[in-house]
Structures are given as structure tokens and as C-alpha cells.
Amino acid sequence: MEKQFKIPREISIGGNSVEKILIGAKNPVTIQTMWKEGIVGVKDDFSRMDSILEKIAQLKTLGCNIIRFAVPDEKSAESFVEICKRTSVPLVADIHFDYRLALKCLEGPVAAIRINPGNIGARERVQAVVSGCKEKGVAIRIGVNSGSLPHDLADAVENGKISRATALCETAARESAVFDELGFDQFIVSMKASSVQETIDSNEEFARKYDIPLHIGVTEAGPLITGVVKSTLAFSHLLREGIGSTIRVSLSSSPENEVVAGLEILRECGLRKGGVTLVSCPRCGRLGFDVHGFMEKWQNELLSMKKDITVAVMGCVVNGPGEGKHADIGIAGAGEKVIIFRKGKIVRTVDAQDADTEFRKELQSL
């Protein structure tokens, strides 16, 4: 039986002093990450503030569209407001339990508020957040996870009457209905599970019934390898069905790695064109060049470049100009030397200590 999924409606993230991003409809899938550190005290610490703003700018250059910050207390909310005032990158306040923190964040140019209605409390508190966002023109993300299901749905899952995926979908539907009743349509929904199949099933079930944009992610996906595998399996399945307007690859790793993983998933799904494509060999006993070290040093800089090129990083001449001959530029080991090649033709042969400098020269000439 053919699956029928709704085309998501369009909502706006940001605007005014914040970069405006359109989500849903036929707009490109956006990439999100989450800030990994606390921000208490940043408001009055100029050095930390500058460091945060610099990293936000770097994440944007790398390909990140939206960054979410945890706001667990009033001091964090104060710092978050100040950070929002100093960048045009859309920032999202992640709020749990205390709805007043959301209202505090609305004092600055926040792009969106993420709330989990399941732990915010009474409807009046949700309504207060919705009213504040409506007044300020700020979008909301409804975040649902298996740890905050309503009691009746949690019991139904426990008793085997419904699947956890169905419970996630039903919870999101209930919360969406409240927003509809309040006359607020500028929101997206996320239903996150740590299981790939539950993530797929809940999002498919929701997308069959509603035209609300979906943020997709596998929560608590794990460390780098585990998290990338789980996210790739879930995202590629959903994205190829047209499900998912924005994504985050949740990793026990750096925000940069989350963004890079998201970019590559979108690229391989045919949803992101252009930019730098990196190819590198896995390394073996023929190693004549530190591929891993070079990639770690250069990856983010290369992926941040506004060039449509392929870069090959190879350990030896077997995988160098031969297997990497399609690359616009490449580097490989060759005995005691390092070679730099373009389209399979060697253009420089240098000592290992000069590899970075000479590679940069050749790269800049492209």
C-alpha cells in the first residue's frame, strides 16, 4: 500500500534582528545543533561571550542553520538573552519545567522556544508561552519524548495496547491541538526516541495525518560512531519519503561533528548540493602520510569553504593520484615525501613538515 504523507506547511524562524529562515513546505531541510556547555555568567564575562560568538559564527560557516541552548535557570536565561542580542544566527531556547524561563528569553531576539508541554505543567502555563511567542512573532518547537508521555498513554504502552511510536504521535497530536485552539500555527513538532524504528514509525504516523513541520532526530543516539549510524538510518529513510523539515544529529561529540554529519546525510540523500566533498583512505600498512591527523586538522576549514570541489586525502601513492584522480586537489604520502596533486597530476612534492603550507597554497589557487 502506497504511503501518503502531508506536505508540511511553512513557518518562519527568526526575523527582524535575527536571520530569517523558512521551514516546511518546499524549503531546504535545515541543520541544527545544540550548545554543549552551560552559559551561566556569560552575560558579564566578555572573554567567554566573545568565545561563544566566535564559535557560533564558525558553526554557521560550517553549515549550521539553527543552534539550541539549554536554559535551565534564570541566570542562564539572562546570559541567553545577551547572546541573542549579539548574533544574527537563529538561536532556540530549550525550556523544561519552568515556563517563566521561556518568558524571560522572549525579552531578547530569540528565534524560537522549545518546550516539552509534558513537563511544563498546567495548560495555563503553555498558554502563557504561546501568548508571549505570538506577541513577539517567535516560533515554538513542541518537543515530545518517551520520558514525558501522558499517564494514560504511558500505561497503554506498558500494557502492550499501543506501541511507543503511536504514543509519541498521539502525545504530539494532543499538544498540537492545544496550539490550534489557541490560534497559533507557527510551531514545529519533534518526536524523539533512542530507537531508530520508533523514530521512523512515530514520524511516519504523524506525517500521514498532519501538515505540521517535523524536526527529526534520534535522541540519546550515543557517541560519534553509534550516533551517526542510528541517525543516518532514521534520517535517510524519512527524508527520502519527504518527512523532516529540519534535523539534528544528536551525538556525544562536538557540535561541529553534529553539523558535519547532518551535511553529509543531506548530501547523500540528494538534499544538499555543492560545497566541498571530502574523500580519504582508511589508512593501512602502506601508510606514508598521517591521513587521520591531516583530516582532523583540516576537516572543518575545508567544509567551511565556499567552493564546489572534491578534496582527496590519501595515505600512499596507491590511493593517491590513482584512486584519487577525480579530485580537484589531493594530498598523499610518497615514501619520505608528500605529494600534492590535481586531477591525478602531481603538482608539488614536498617534505612532510611543509605539507600544510604547500597544500594551502595550492588550495588557494583553485
Side-chain angles (χ1 to χ4, degrees):
M1 180 179 177
E2 185 179 356
K3 299 176 182 178
Q4 296 293 329
F5 302 112
K6 302 281 189 182
I7 296 175
R9 64 191 182 219
E10 183 177 83
I11 73 164
S12 176
I13 299 288
N16 299 323
S17 60
V18 178
E19 181 180 339
K20 183 177 181 179
I21 295 177
L22 297 177
I23 290 178
K26 296 297 183 181
N27 293 296
V29 177
T30 60
I31 294 174
Q32 301 190 26
T33 189
M34 189 161 185
W35 196 255
K36 304 283 186 173
E37 302 163 356
I39 54 174
V40 171
V42 168
K43 177 183 176 183
D44 302 312
D45 189 330
F46 300 118
S47 177
R48 284 181 66 198
M49 176 67 77
D50 288 343
S51 176
I52 288 173
L53 295 175
E54 182 180 358
K55 189 166 184 178
I56 288 173
Q58 291 171 347
L59 288 168
K60 178 184 177 181
T61 301
L62 192 57
C64 184
N65 306 111
I66 300 167
I67 304 174
R68 181 159 51 106
F69 280 73
V71 184
D73 50 49
E74 188 172 354
K75 291 294 185 182
S76 296
E78 291 173 356
S79 291
F80 179 74
V81 167
E82 292 303 313
I83 295 169
C84 288
K85 291 177 180 178
R86 289 166 167 77
T87 180
S88 63
V89 176
L91 305 184
V92 177
D94 189 84
I95 308 295
H96 290 271
F97 306 111
D98 191 347
Y99 77 102
R100 294 169 297 182
L101 296 174
L103 302 182
K104 177 67 177 178
C105 290
L106 288 171
E107 294 177 7
V110 58
I113 300 288
R114 187 269 190 180
I115 62 171
N116 184 334
N119 63 36
I120 283 292
R123 176 177 171 138
E124 291 76 18
R125 297 178 178 182
V126 175
Q127 185 171 352
V129 176
V130 170
S131 296
C133 288
K134 186 185 294 187
E135 179 183 348
K136 297 283 189 176
V138 172
I140 294 177
R141 171 178 147 196
I142 298 174
V144 175
N145 58 55
S146 57
S148 57
L149 297 174
H151 292 305
D152 63 321
L153 294 178
D155 289 343
V157 172
E158 184 69 22
N159 295 326
K161 296 180 179 178
I162 61 174
S163 68
R164 184 172 284 103
T166 293
L168 287 167
C169 179
E170 175 60 24
T171 302
R174 291 181 186 181
E175 303 300 346
S176 298
V178 173
F179 280 41
D180 289 338
E181 292 169 12
L182 295 173
F184 187 77
D185 65 357
Q186 291 297 292
F187 67 95
I188 66 176
V189 162
S190 66
M191 295 162 291
K192 291 193 174 182
S194 56
S195 158
V196 170
Q197 196 58 53
E198 287 175 358
T199 299
I200 292 171
D201 291 345
S202 59
N203 281 276
E204 284 185 337
E205 187 171 342
F206 193 89
R208 289 191 189 97
K209 301 175 181 177
Y210 307 101
D211 68 346
I212 299 167
L214 289 169
H215 168 81
I216 59 174
V218 180
T219 192
E220 300 163 356
L224 184 62
I225 295 175
T226 304
V228 168
V229 170
K230 287 185 176 182
S231 296
T232 301
L233 288 171
F235 291 10
S236 59
H237 182 102
L238 291 168
L239 290 169
R240 287 185 171 122
E241 293 181 317
I243 299 173
S245 298
T246 178
I247 64 171
R248 178 197 171 195
V249 180
S250 299
L251 301 173
S252 300
S253 185
S254 69
E256 289 85 354
N257 281 339
E258 292 190 353
V259 174
V260 170
L263 283 168
E264 288 304 306
I265 291 172
L266 292 184
R267 191 195 304 276
E268 293 302 321
C269 288
L271 297 174
R272 188 62 65 98
K273 305 295 183 184
V276 175
T277 298
L278 298 180
V279 295
S280 63
C281 71
R283 200 165 76 175
C284 70
R286 293 190 300 267
L287 179 69
F289 180 61
D290 185 5
V291 174
H292 295 182
F294 189 86
M295 285 297 296
E296 184 175 344
K297 186 189 308 180
W298 277 89
Q299 173 184 272
N300 291 346
E301 180 177 345
L302 288 170
L303 291 176
S304 297
M305 295 178 66
K306 303 305 179 186
K307 293 178 181 287
D308 295 336
I309 59 173
T310 296
V311 179
V313 182
M314 303 299 189
C316 69
V317 291
V318 173
N319 290 325
E323 293 188 19
K325 64 182 178 182
H326 64 287
D328 297 283
I329 183 172
I331 187 167
E336 300 297 320
K337 298 287 186 178
V338 173
I339 58 173
I340 299 170
F341 55 92
R342 294 173 64 165
K343 294 294 185 181
K345 181 179 179 181
I346 298 174
V347 294
R348 294 176 188 260
T349 301
V350 301
D351 293 329
Q353 64 266 25
D354 299 323
D356 290 297
T357 300
E358 297 303 316
F359 179 77
R360 186 177 299 281
K361 289 179 182 177
E362 199 63 36
L363 184 65
Q364 291 173 341
S365 70
L366 288 176

